[in-house]
Amino acid sequence: MFLSSINRFSRFRRRGVLTDRAIRRAYAEGELFVEPFEPALVRPAALSLRLGHEAFSLVTEGPVDVADRATHPSLVPKALDANGRLAVEPGEVVLAPTLEKIGLSKNLAGLVDGTSDYARLGIGVVLCGQVSPGFGWDTGAVLTLEIVNHLRHPVLLYPSARVCNLMLFASTGSERLYGATPHNYSGDHAVVASRLADHVRRP
């Protein structure tokens, strides 16, 4: 799957954000895993990611105690409409995976953000933002996106369409990969519920 850390990759470490050539080189040398990889999605200083084909609405039945899993929102599957579109209702919070599975070596870190195209339509596409060194190492993992409709009417989204950007940075090489940290999402191949209750202690 991945190559071991390559000494020649150290040339990226002094250059900050990876630009298009460096992104393609990182992919070719096995420091960046993307499946499926579409060369047209490589942008001047980021890699665009597409919306997956599954989505879940976050539904609550009362106050949410982050330390109590029983109070967490339910993940209610959302079916696509007859035209294959994902309808996001006003004020609704939807979790959806990226179409691509991503994997970063210890020499890379990333930031994910929505695109201005969606923001100009009142649609928020966000993540925690940070993608740590070692995320998805070995098998790749989807990124789970939070999609919020800030408008007064439903918004129809198209799976397989570009929905966010992954900006990549050269790191100095992490001693501990993200996948080795407790309660991580590094092996996720689909949307999963929050694991916050696993590490928040009640007073």
Side-chain angles (χ1 to χ4, degrees):
M1 177 71 69
F2 292 101
L3 302 177
S4 60
S5 297
I6 302 172
N7 290 334
R8 63 179 180 274
F9 193 74
S10 63
R11 63 177 174 268
F12 295 133
R13 295 179 183 169
R14 298 186 296 274
R15 299 184 182 179
V17 177
L18 269 62
T19 55
D20 47 10
R21 289 185 215 173
I23 292 171
R24 287 190 289 266
R25 190 157 58 237
Y27 174 74
E29 294 179 354
E31 296 281 350
L32 169 66
F33 174 77
V34 186
E35 177 61 40
F37 179 73
E38 176 55 60
L41 294 177
V42 177
R43 299 177 66 80
L47 174 68
S48 288
L49 302 176
R50 295 169 289 185
L51 182 64
H53 293 273
E54 294 183 325
F56 301 85
S57 183
L58 287 180
V59 178
T60 58
E61 297 182 359
V64 174
D65 180 344
V66 299
D68 184 357
R69 190 184 300 278
T71 69
H72 286 193
S74 299
L75 293 177
V76 179
K78 289 183 65 72
L80 303 180
D81 70 11
N83 294 313
R85 301 172 299 186
L86 171 64
V88 182
E89 302 296 327
E92 184 178 22
V93 180
V94 171
L95 298 186
T98 55
L99 179 65
E100 289 80 11
K101 293 178 183 177
I102 301 298
L104 304 185
S105 77
K106 67 179 183 179
N107 298 317
L108 290 177
L111 288 176
V112 176
D113 201 1
T115 69
S116 63
D117 287 333
Y118 287 90
R120 293 166 196 263
L121 294 175
I123 306 163
V125 180
V126 298
L127 184 74
C128 64
Q130 177 183 331
V131 185
S132 298
F135 175 88
W137 191 251
D138 292 333
T139 61
V142 298
L143 295 170
T144 296
L145 305 174
E146 178 193 84
I147 302 172
V148 182
N149 177 5
H150 299 289
L151 303 179
R152 297 181 180 180
H153 297 90
V155 172
L156 303 174
L157 304 181
Y158 290 78
S160 298
R162 172 176 169 259
V163 71
C164 65
N165 290 322
L166 171 63
M167 184 178 291
L168 295 163
F169 301 83
S171 76
T172 56
S174 176
E175 286 186 349
R176 187 185 191 193
L177 297 183
Y178 172 74
T181 61
H183 319 301
N184 69 77
Y185 300 89
S186 187
D188 295 345
H189 291 176
V191 171
V192 299
S194 172
R195 297 187 173 110
L196 186 58
D198 294 337
H199 55 93
V200 173
R201 295 183 180 179
R202 298 182 184 183

